[in-house]
Amino acid sequence: MNCPIDRTKEYVREFFKGEYSGHDYYHTVRVFELARKIAEEEGADIEIVSLAALLHDVDDAKISPDTYAGKVNAVSFLKKEHVSDEDIDKIVEIIEQVSFCGVDSAVPSTIEGKCVQDADRLDALGAIGIARTFAYGGNHNRDIYDPDVLPELGMNKEEYRNHVSTSLNHFYEKLFLLKDMMNTDTAMKIAARREEYMRAYVDEFLREWNSEDC
């Protein structure tokens, strides 16, 4: 496969213009770069990983619900680039398995899928993960925090997608679960450091919220 990386990057750059929820072009590029590094460590197919990582959000249910089921945007682009049907099937399978869906979250069936899923989840952790959490919350009119609204744990796919919570609760409902859901040793090491930073941030947030640092 002649991997059309530059054209794919241009496609996603144009696709995500005006997207401010944290699922933007630069999120896509970070996932792409992380996924390639993990793939190199894990011996995965770099070209399949690269294309799946770049296209993993163009049919996301939150961004493009009308194309989500058939992955229409990704498939149409790949066909225009003359990617083989066999490789398109591999890429679509990876994209279908990448998302966090609570207790219904899929474990990817291939090492390539595991690399992309790990990279996507890593970008939800650490300093950037914190920034993306509050960007998404603000974009969707969510409260930063409400001490009277407790986190909902153990949600299935439907419950998680329909659940409206606060931005701080998102740390408990998803982000603090991700480290133990990593598929590769490479990602687990990165996730441990990023989660430690994020937990320290939440501890400081709650101290300041409760005026305990006075």
Side-chain angles (χ1 to χ4, degrees):
M1 176 174 59
N2 182 18
C3 193
I5 296 300
D6 289 340
R7 290 191 297 278
T8 311
K9 283 185 175 181
E10 285 306 308
Y11 169 71
V12 295
R13 181 189 287 274
E14 184 65 26
F15 183 90
F16 288 113
K17 274 186 177 178
E19 175 58 49
Y20 303 111
S21 72
H23 297 82
D24 57 11
Y25 170 71
Y26 291 106
H27 162 67
T28 295
V29 171
R30 289 191 301 271
V31 171
F32 163 75
E33 291 175 349
L34 277 168
R36 285 174 64 90
K37 289 177 181 178
I38 296 169
E40 288 172 1
E41 292 292 327
E42 302 294 331
D45 185 319
I46 298 289
E47 291 189 333
I48 293 292
V49 165
S50 297
L51 287 176
L54 286 171
L55 296 170
H56 81 279
D57 267 347
V58 298
D59 294 291
D60 187 278
K62 298 183 292 296
I63 297 168
S64 186
D66 293 339
T67 68
Y68 167 72
K71 304 297 179 282
V72 174
N73 292 326
V75 171
S76 297
F77 174 80
L78 293 168
K79 284 185 178 294
K80 288 177 184 176
E81 292 295 331
H82 306 292
V83 175
S84 71
D85 289 343
E86 180 182 0
D87 284 337
I88 289 175
D89 288 344
K90 292 177 183 178
I91 292 164
V92 167
E93 182 179 47
I94 291 170
I95 294 171
E96 286 178 340
Q97 296 174 341
V98 73
S99 293
F100 177 85
C101 302
V103 296
D104 294 330
S105 297
V107 176
S109 55
T110 64
I111 185 59
E112 289 75 23
K114 291 175 180 179
C115 293
V116 176
Q117 187 186 74
D118 280 359
D120 185 47
R121 290 177 174 177
L122 284 172
D123 202 56
L125 298 177
I128 287 175
I130 293 167
R132 290 182 65 220
T133 296
F134 291 109
Y136 184 88
N139 189 259
H140 288 75
N141 302 313
R142 293 186 175 182
D143 289 335
I144 292 174
Y145 178 52
D146 182 341
D148 293 328
V149 179
L150 299 179
E152 293 284 341
L153 304 179
M155 288 181 282
N156 62 29
K157 180 178 180 178
E158 183 177 357
E159 290 168 337
Y160 179 75
R161 289 192 170 167
N162 293 324
H163 179 59
V164 177
S165 190
T166 68
S167 291
L168 198 76
N169 280 354
H170 185 65
F171 287 84
Y172 299 97
E173 293 168 348
K174 175 183 176 181
L175 305 183
F176 289 153
L177 307 177
L178 295 181
K179 175 175 66 69
D180 293 333
M181 297 175 73
M182 294 294 164
N183 302 290
T184 64
D185 290 340
T186 305
M188 286 178 190
K189 293 173 184 176
I190 301 170
R193 180 179 59 80
R194 293 191 181 191
E195 186 194 86
E196 182 179 6
Y197 178 91
M198 201 163 56
R199 285 186 179 276
Y201 169 82
V202 171
D203 288 344
E204 177 63 20
F205 178 101
L206 292 172
R207 275 193 295 270
E208 293 179 15
W209 184 278
N210 294 313
S211 300
E212 293 174 357
D213 61 334
C214 295

